[in-house]
Amino acid sequence: MAEHDFMQRLGAAAKSLNIDIDQEKSTALLEYIFQLLRWNRTYNLTALRDPEQMLVQHLFDSLAVVGPLTFLLDKNTVSTRPLVVDVGSGAGLPGVVLAIMRPLWTIHCVDAVEKKTAFVRQVASVLKLPNLHAIHARVETLPSFDADVVISRAFASLRDFATLAGPHVAPGGQLLAMKGREPSDEIDTLEQLTDWRSHHIETLNVPELNAQRCLVWLNRKELHE
């Protein structure tokens, strides 16, 4: 892994996304990628094997939601320690990145695959992230987190996401789904079959990624209408 090149590209990506990343956070983000590369050789945590792809498709993609979440939580959260739950987190995307970037947020990464939550726990230890927690479970089996935000990245259809993860959102909280193209069909199904609605679709411009990405904001019907 070309650390100096990656550090420069990370700085450029942060500037493009209008977020501040100091030396400590930059080092932690690249160490996360290093740990993922190392564990992936044995445990097959992600389909990506190339560090170049991981940098862009995992790290930069996750960094793209830091700005929108910060705006949301700074505006709407009274608590000084907002609670964010990453559902179907896999190897910690975007949860680990959020924990590094926002140490005052409490981040729970939930996944049904034990080796993936074990990896997130290892990362929390290695990077000294007391705000990062990993839970091995299916999200629908857990008591409510009462979270400010529940986020997912390629976890499920919007309908399934709302049905399984919606009970973990506090009153006035949000579900946020990271998607590729605007999921019009999924939104139609969601609004027909659940009490959740899409009230905003935000385009995500992921640095160095030649693909469409968006963030779908969901809230409960009674809050939307």
Side-chain angles (χ1 to χ4, degrees):
M1 193 168 86
E3 185 172 346
H4 178 68
D5 174 57
F6 275 26
M7 190 71 77
Q8 287 187 322
R9 289 164 66 186
L10 179 55
K15 185 176 181 180
S16 171
L17 294 167
N18 198 29
I19 54 178
D20 294 324
I21 302 184
D22 59 22
Q23 183 66 39
E24 184 178 1
K25 289 184 174 67
S26 296
T27 300
L29 289 167
L30 294 186
E31 177 62 25
Y32 167 57
I33 292 296
F34 172 76
Q35 292 288 330
L36 184 54
L37 279 166
R38 189 162 67 88
W39 274 59
N40 214 34
R41 296 188 192 110
T42 303
Y43 295 105
N44 192 31
L45 301 176
T46 169
L48 298 185
R49 292 287 185 272
D50 178 23
E52 290 273 341
Q53 291 181 308
M54 287 185 177
L55 181 73
V56 176
Q57 295 181 43
H58 285 340
L59 194 56
F60 292 175
D61 189 59
S62 294
L63 283 172
V65 302
V66 171
L69 261 71
T70 301
F71 177 78
L72 170 67
L73 293 173
D74 284 354
K75 182 178 70 171
N76 292 341
T77 307
V78 175
S79 170
T80 57
R81 295 195 69 89
L83 175 58
V84 178
V85 178
D86 177 11
V87 173
S89 182
L93 298 157
V96 170
V97 174
L98 296 176
I100 292 169
M101 292 298 300
R102 295 293 180 260
L104 294 181
W105 296 359
T106 298
I107 310 294
H108 289 282
C109 293
V110 179
D111 201 274
V113 180
E114 188 170 13
K115 64 184 179 181
K116 295 180 179 180
T117 53
F119 170 71
V120 174
R121 288 192 195 97
Q122 172 71 7
V123 168
S125 175
V126 169
L127 300 184
K128 297 178 172 59
L129 299 171
N131 63 325
L132 176 62
H133 310 276
I135 300 170
H136 170 227
R138 293 189 178 278
V139 69
E140 65 271 23
T141 68
L142 296 171
S144 178
F145 283 100
D146 209 28
D148 297 291
V149 168
V150 177
I151 191 167
S152 76
R153 179 179 182 263
F155 167 64
S157 70
L158 292 179
R159 176 196 176 187
D160 288 346
F161 178 42
T163 301
L164 298 174
H168 294 283
V169 180
Q174 300 269 342
L175 286 171
L176 299 180
M178 299 170 67
K179 292 285 186 177
R181 295 178 180 272
E182 184 174 323
S184 301
D185 291 344
E186 287 187 30
I187 290 171
D188 289 343
T189 302
L190 169 86
E191 297 187 351
Q192 289 170 14
L193 300 177
T194 77
D195 62 350
W196 289 82
R197 299 291 180 266
S198 168
H199 68 94
H200 179 53
I201 300 175
E202 182 166 354
T203 299
L204 297 175
N205 296 309
V206 179
E208 300 188 32
L209 182 65
N210 185 26
Q212 292 184 3
R213 298 290 285 151
C214 69
L215 186 63
V216 183
W217 300 57
L218 309 175
N219 59 17
R220 291 183 177 90
K221 181 178 179 181
E222 62 268 26
L223 298 176
H224 180 71
E225 296 181 349

